[in-house]
Amino acid sequence: MDKVILGKTGIEVNKNGFGALPIQRISKKDAVYLLQKAFYNGINYFDTARAYSDSEEKMGAAFEYTRDRIVISTKTAAQNAEDMWKDLEESLTKLKTDHIDIYQFHNPAFCPKPGDESGLYDAALEAKKQGKILHIGITNHRIAVAKEAIESGLYDTLQFPFSYLAADADLEIVEMCRKAGMGFIAMKGLAGGLIHNSACAYAYMNQPQFAHVAPIWGVQRERELDEFLSYQDCPPALDGALLAEIEKDRKQLSGDFCRGCGYCMPCPAGISINDCARMSLMLRRAPQEGWLSPEWQEKMKKIEGCLHCGKCMSKCPYGLNTPELLAKNYEDYKTFLK
Ligand code: SF4
Ligand code: SF4
C-alpha cells in the first residue's frame, strides 16, 4: 500500500485520500457505508469542509468509534477570528471529535498571517495552543496566494488543484511544497469530473517526484471507491497505454477550460456557471443523455440572461473570460438539441 508523509507534520497517510465533498449528495446511511468501507480497506485520511453542508456530520457518524485511527482535515471559509472560532466549534461537534488534525483556511483571497487585520492566523495559533487543531493548512486555487503561503513558512500543508492536466505553474507549486517540507494535498485529481480514467490519475500521482503528494479523491459511488482501493494492491503502471490516454486527454483539455471549481459563483442571473461553462467538454466526455435533459436545457437557457456584470470573471482563479466561455458552450449545446 503506497503511503505519503505530509511534509513536516510527519503525518503518514495512504496514497488514496478521501475527499468528502461528494458525500453531501448521498444519504447519511450510504455515506457512512462508503466512509467505513474506505476506512476498513486502508484509507486513513479524510478531508471535508464546514462549507460542505452535512459532510462533517456524516463523517462524525462514520468515525465516532475509530476517530483515533484516522486523520481528519476540514476547512473554514471564515473571514475573521470570531467566525473562525464558531466554525471550529461547529466542526468539532459535527465530527464528534475534540481535535482536527489539519485545520485549513478555505480558499481565502489573501494569505492569512500573524497580526493581520483578519485575525485568522492568530486565532488558528490559539486553537493549536488549546489542542483543538494540530496543524494549520491552507487551500487555494490561486497561484499567487499558494506561493505566498509556501514562502511565508506559516503553513504545514497546502491543498491545491492538481492532476495530470496540470500546467507548468501548478507543477512549480508542487515542487515548491516539496522543497519547503510542506504536505501537498491534491484536490481535483480527476479535474472536476473531466478525467474518467482513475488508473491514469492514480499512476500519475504515484510517480517518485510526487511522493509528497496526497490526492483526495472525491468519491460518491461505491464503484468509484472500489477502483481506487484496487490500486492499493495492484498499482497501475504508467506504461504505454496509460501514457497514451493521458496524452489524448491533455490534447483535448489544453488551454482555457473551466475546471468547475465554482469560485465564480453565485451568479446574479442564476446561471450554474461551474457546469454550464464546461458543458461542451462534458457532452463529449460523459454520457450525453443526462446533460440534454429538460432540466439541463433550462439551466443552459439561463445563459441568455447573462448580465455581463463581470463578477464571475473577477473571481475566476484561472483568469477565464467566463461570459464568453458560457456563450460558446451555449452555442455548442444548441447544436446537440437539433
Ligand atoms: S457576467 Fe453573466 S455569468 Fe458572470 S456573474 Fe455576471 S451575470 Fe453571471
Ligand atoms: S469559470 Fe473559473 S471560477 Fe468559474 S467554475 Fe470555471 S474555472 Fe471555476
Side-chain angles (χ1 to χ4, degrees):
M1 204 178 280
D2 299 305
K3 301 278 186 191
V4 180
I5 294 180
L6 288 171
K8 286 182 226 151
T9 67
I11 296 174
E12 189 180 74
V13 295
N14 186 310
K15 188 80 183 180
N16 277 326
F18 192 113
L21 182 148
I23 60 165
Q24 297 175 97
R25 302 193 277 263
I26 57 177
S27 72
K28 188 167 180 178
K29 186 169 149 273
D30 289 347
V32 167
Y33 170 76
L34 208 59
L35 289 162
Q36 291 186 341
K37 179 169 183 180
F39 168 68
Y40 286 110
N41 284 280
I43 292 182
N44 67 337
Y45 173 38
F46 297 82
D47 176 79
T48 181
R50 188 78 286 281
Y52 299 165
S53 62
D54 60 2
S55 168
E56 287 180 329
E57 199 182 322
K58 287 166 172 164
M59 271 176 55
F63 301 128
E64 189 172 358
Y65 303 108
T66 46
R67 168 67 186 97
D68 57 342
R69 293 167 63 192
I70 60 165
V71 175
I72 291 180
S73 60
T74 190
K75 318 180 187 80
T76 173
Q79 297 294 306
N80 58 60
E82 195 187 333
D83 290 346
M84 191 213 88
W85 282 111
K86 276 191 216 145
D87 271 1
L88 177 56
E89 293 304 335
E90 188 77 7
S91 290
L92 291 170
T93 306
K94 300 276 189 213
L95 287 161
K96 294 190 198 288
T97 183
D98 61 0
H99 71 280
I100 308 290
D101 299 279
I102 303 168
Y103 198 55
Q104 306 159 107
F105 295 123
H106 198 166
N107 197 42
F110 64 101
C111 174
K113 292 186 175 153
D116 73 15
E117 244 177 31
S118 74
L120 284 169
Y121 197 88
D122 295 313
L125 266 189
E126 178 55 31
K128 194 173 168 183
K129 220 184 274 170
Q130 293 180 16
K132 291 182 173 176
I133 66 179
L134 304 188
H135 301 282
I136 305 174
I138 186 168
T139 82
N140 228 276
H141 285 252
R142 301 166 185 83
I143 299 268
V145 178
K147 273 192 181 164
E148 199 180 338
I150 301 167
E151 281 160 358
S152 74
L154 293 167
Y155 291 92
D156 298 310
T157 58
L158 170 72
Q159 188 174 143
F160 192 77
F162 184 56
S163 70
Y164 60 70
L165 300 176
D168 288 348
D170 305 318
L171 286 163
E172 193 191 338
I173 296 285
V174 178
E175 180 56 13
M176 281 175 77
C177 276
R178 193 189 61 76
K179 284 192 181 143
M182 270 173 81
F184 185 95
I185 302 161
M187 62 163 120
K188 305 224 175 280
L190 298 172
L194 292 175
I195 292 176
H196 293 137
N197 191 323
S198 62
C200 287
Y202 186 95
Y204 178 79
M205 299 276 192
N206 211 18
Q207 296 179 93
Q209 68 270 37
F210 302 139
H212 63 303
V213 171
I216 41 166
W217 310 110
V219 168
Q220 180 178 336
R221 295 177 188 86
E222 190 172 5
R223 67 169 164 74
E224 296 164 352
L225 176 64
D226 289 344
E227 281 182 27
F228 286 111
L229 291 177
S230 74
Y231 306 145
Q232 296 178 163
D233 295 328
C234 303
L238 202 56
D239 58 13
L242 293 195
L243 283 170
E245 188 80 18
I246 288 176
E247 220 25 67
K248 200 174 92 198
D249 277 354
R250 281 183 176 151
K251 272 197 190 122
Q252 208 175 90
L253 297 167
S254 61
D256 288 346
F257 70 94
C258 169
R259 274 80 169 172
C261 64
Y263 285 108
C264 51
M265 313 261 278
C267 160
I271 302 167
S272 306
I273 305 174
N274 56 335
D275 285 314
C276 296
R278 57 192 191 134
M279 186 54 81
S280 296
L281 289 169
M282 298 310 266
L283 284 169
R284 286 169 178 83
R285 300 181 62 81
Q288 287 171 6
E289 305 86 74
W291 298 112
L292 298 174
S293 68
E295 189 199 339
W296 274 103
Q297 289 181 38
E298 200 56 44
K299 286 189 183 182
M300 288 301 286
K301 198 168 165 50
K302 286 199 175 162
I303 294 173
E304 289 175 7
C306 173
L307 307 166
H308 295 279
C309 64
K311 282 188 183 154
C312 49
M313 257 162 65
S314 66
K315 287 190 271 184
C316 177
Y318 302 97
L320 300 179
N321 184 335
T322 318
E324 197 177 278
L325 205 54
L326 284 166
K328 268 193 209 160
N329 275 267
Y330 187 40
E331 283 313 307
D332 185 40
Y333 186 77
K334 285 190 279 186
T335 64
F336 282 81
L337 299 174
K338 281 175 191 161

